Structure formats: structure tokens, C-alpha cells
Amino acid sequence: MDEITFAVLGTGGIGRRTLEVSQHKDALTPVAACDRHGTAIDADGLDVDELLAATEGNIDSEVATDGGTGAAAAEGEGGIKQHGEDRGVVASAQARPSEDPIQDIIDHGDRIDAVLLALPNYEHDFIPRVADRFVEGGYSGVMIDVLKRSRVIDMLDDRSEAFEEQGITFVCGAGATPGFLTGAAALAAQSFVEVTDVDIHWGVGLKSGYEDNRGTVREDIAHLPEYDIETARDLTDEEIEAIIDAHDGVIEFEDMEHADDVLLERAGICDADDVSVGGVLDVESDEKPTTTTVSVMGTTFDGETATNTFQLDDATSMEANVNGPALGYLKAGVRRNRAGEYGVFGPAELMPGF
Ligand code: IKT
């Protein structure tokens, strides 16, 4: 495959790990990274080691919760309390402060094959609004996100025509779940002529990775029955730690609104209602509290009812299982884009058809 240049929006845990993992993959050159503080751009390729060293322990995954117009960049990011030294990407010698980092990326868009949105979606329409800016700015290429919530897929689908006109291939929900595990379910479904149930159950141990993944933990807390995306967004770090303590460090999630359901339905595999996603997060240990398993139940052409299961090794980290697949889907998106296929694609559509 020809070399692929890509940009990362957000230099929090996911953004930084994506840059790191890309160093181990063929044909990927990161040429830009930004957050709400500024932008690092180098058409010859960023010095990832320098950028990682500069941003480590200096966590900031945000660009700006107003979709990058710059207004939210000035202050508290919609109430999200930051911690530590808060300079984000500007701590890197390669970055410059910017009033409008997203526009910086758009302005260099003709040299960027793919844009990975490593942003928390504390407002459901945040990623769709960022996509609008790329459409309005005349970008054509791949956009890819690691969003979680089912309802966001419809918002992206509403923009499908605009993406097609603009030459954008938008790959949505391309992290672990949705993403890797949705793709695994699509593959496991191939034995069947009818799929009746898909159960995704993940386990994550985040003791040493906690600082780097505060955004993910906050998003997970929004799935607890007592919280939603707005209330979780407004929690301070101390309040989040109190919630974790109240669960003795281990939080169980059931019936999460994760887009695996609509993404499997739009690929024709099963009804969204037949998909359930849950998991266990342990912030007191780096061991996974449970083995991440995808179970796909269905009926074969010759009348057997069976369950195909797909398991991740407990030794693979969440970082490996989010960022490896995100970059894999990014490459699949670039292949589609170069073949002239535009619009919205989910991870299950980039697998064998059902
Ligand atoms: C995500 O980031 O895709 C979702 C997170 C779960 C990751 C599952 C990884 C499983 C594994 O490594 O075994 C969580 C819901 N935030």
C-alpha cells in the first residue's frame, strides 16, 4: 500500500497511543496532531518520540467542545476539570499555539489522507460538528472516529450525502467496542444464516493506565444508571475518584449504549435490539477482571443453533485493542477512499458481508 499520511485530533490517551502504535505499522506517517491548545504539523512526518515525551503526564484530549471554533478553547471545556500541567500538545517543540487548531488541520488537508478523531464525545453532536467543519473547509479524504454512543451514528448518516459530494470516507466507531469487537462479531456471524444474539462483554484493568485514560473512565461512568453524558461531563476528577471508591475500584456496566448494535444492524447482521454490550472496569489492577468475549448466537443453513465466540487474550491491553484496530480501520478507509467510495462506513461493513 502507498504511504498514508494522517492527522490526530486530540493528544489524550488515545491520540498519543495511536501515534505510538503507528510507528509499528507499515505505511503510516503521522503529519499532524492537535488539541485545544495548538497544532503540530510536519509534512515530512512528526517526531513522535519527542511529541510523546513532551505530552506524557500533560494530558489533554480536547480540541474544543464547540466544534473547534475556538470559543471553548479559552476556558474550562464545558466544565471538564483538567488536571496536571495543562499545556497539551504545545509542550512539544514541534507545536505552535493556535486559536483554531481544527482549521490548521483543514488548511493542510490536501496533504492529509486521513484524520483520526481521538476526542471524547461529551456532547453527542460534537464529532458530527467537527465533521461539518471538514466538509465546509473542503477536505476530502478519510475521517475516522472511536466514538461509542449508538445515537451518534444516525447523526453521521444524516451527513452521508455531504460526505459523498465532498469525497469523504467516514469510518465511525472504530475503536475496540464499537470497532474491533463489532468486526469480530461480523466475522463470527458468517457461519449463520440468522443471528439471534450478540453479546459483547469486555474486561479492562487500568491501574497504571488510569491517568492516561481518565477520559475513557469518565465516558464509562456516563453509562451508569445514575449518570448521563452531561452529568458525567460536569464531574470533577475528585468526584470521579469518589465514584470509583464507592465501587471498591471495580465498576460493572450493563446494557451500555454502544454503537455495536446499530453498526451490526446497518451491516445487515442482526437487529440492534439483539446486541448487548457490558463490561467490567478495574482501576485497582492491571489484570483484566474478566476475559473480553464476543458471543454470536445463530442458526446455520443446516438447522443447527450454535454460538461462535471470540476472545481477546488477557495479556493484550486496552490500548493495543483500541489503537491497533483504529489504525487498521483507517487503512481500510483509505483503500475505500482511493477507490472512490465515499459516505459513512461502520466497522462491520469493512468485514465480509452477511
Ligand atoms: C473502547 O475504548 O472501545 C471502549 C472501552 C472498552 C475497551 C475494551 C477493550 C477490551 C480489551 O482490551 O480486552 C470502554 C468501554 N471504555
Side-chain angles (χ1 to χ4, degrees):
M1 188 169 197
D2 289 345
E3 200 59 28
I4 295 170
T5 56
F6 74 100
V8 175
L9 269 54
T11 59
I14 293 180
R16 283 202 318 284
R17 292 291 82 79
T18 304
L19 290 168
E20 185 178 356
V21 176
S22 75
Q23 304 299 283
H24 301 270
K25 300 269 183 186
D26 288 338
L28 288 171
T29 305
V31 292
C34 73
D35 59 24
R36 69 191 171 122
H37 299 277
T39 316
I41 296 186
D42 187 338
D44 295 328
L46 294 172
D47 177 348
V48 171
D49 290 341
E50 188 277 338
L51 196 130
L52 293 180
T55 53
E56 209 72 62
N58 175 21
I59 292 166
D60 192 352
S61 58
E62 307 288 310
V63 171
T65 52
D66 57 356
T69 58
E75 41 188 310
E77 295 305 314
I80 300 165
K81 312 295 187 295
Q82 302 292 335
H83 66 100
E85 195 192 357
D86 190 10
R87 295 176 60 218
V89 74
V90 172
S92 160
Q94 301 168 81
R96 297 284 167 273
S98 173
E99 287 297 307
D100 194 347
I102 288 183
Q103 192 58 47
D104 299 342
I105 304 289
I106 294 170
D107 290 344
H108 289 77
D110 55 341
R111 277 173 282 162
I112 299 173
D113 296 317
V115 176
L116 189 137
L117 293 92
L119 305 166
N121 212 16
Y122 295 124
E123 290 158 36
H124 291 303
D125 63 347
F126 180 47
I127 283 174
R129 282 190 291 128
V130 171
D132 289 342
R133 292 205 59 199
F134 278 80
V135 170
E136 285 154 20
Y139 176 73
S140 52
V142 171
M143 300 193 72
I144 175 163
D145 67 49
V146 292
L147 64 79
K148 313 283 192 311
R149 296 270 173 170
S150 306
R151 72 189 79 174
V152 186
I153 307 300
D154 272 352
M155 296 180 193
L156 291 168
D157 269 338
D158 290 344
R159 290 154 168 87
S160 196
E161 213 171 297
F163 294 151
E164 280 166 34
E165 278 166 19
Q166 190 50 46
I168 291 175
T169 307
F170 199 109
V171 184
C172 54
T177 167
F180 187 16
L181 304 183
T182 329
L187 208 49
Q190 300 298 317
S191 306
F192 304 121
V193 291
E194 195 194 350
V195 171
T196 49
D197 270 299
V198 175
D199 183 52
I200 294 175
H201 197 68
W202 52 265
V204 170
L206 259 192
K207 188 172 188 204
S208 55
Y210 179 71
E211 285 301 322
D212 223 19
N213 288 289
R214 282 171 181 262
T216 297
V217 174
R218 185 186 291 275
E219 278 199 75
D220 285 346
I221 283 174
H223 290 277
L224 291 173
E226 318 79 290
Y227 297 94
D228 58 28
I229 206 91
E230 285 80 23
T231 50
R233 184 189 65 196
D234 292 343
L235 294 168
T236 61
D237 285 347
E238 292 69 33
E239 286 167 332
I240 288 191
E241 269 149 40
I243 293 166
I244 292 168
D245 287 347
H247 288 81
D248 294 326
V250 182
I251 310 184
E252 294 195 24
F253 300 91
E254 285 174 14
D255 290 327
M256 302 177 84
E257 184 202 334
H258 265 219
D260 308 79
D261 56 358
V262 291
L263 292 168
L264 287 167
E265 182 170 287
R266 82 202 295 284
I269 288 166
C270 58
D271 290 343
D273 288 346
D274 297 331
V275 181
S276 61
V277 180
V280 187
L281 171 69
D282 185 349
V283 300
E284 301 289 333
S285 166
D286 281 331
E287 303 287 310
K288 292 186 192 183
T290 183
T291 297
T292 297
T293 305
V294 179
S295 310
V296 178
M297 186 188 282
T299 320
T300 63
F301 79 101
D302 47 359
E304 291 295 333
T305 297
T307 304
N308 281 344
T309 57
F310 170 92
Q311 291 192 328
L312 296 184
D313 193 315
D314 290 347
T316 62
S317 64
M318 180 180 79
E319 288 82 355
N321 294 324
V322 171
N323 298 293
L327 288 168
Y329 283 122
L330 182 151
K331 285 185 171 184
V334 170
R335 235 175 258 130
R336 298 271 175 149
N337 188 267
R338 288 179 178 167
E341 290 181 58
Y342 310 131
V344 178
F345 295 83
E349 287 155 279
L350 301 175
M351 303 300 289
F354 188 68

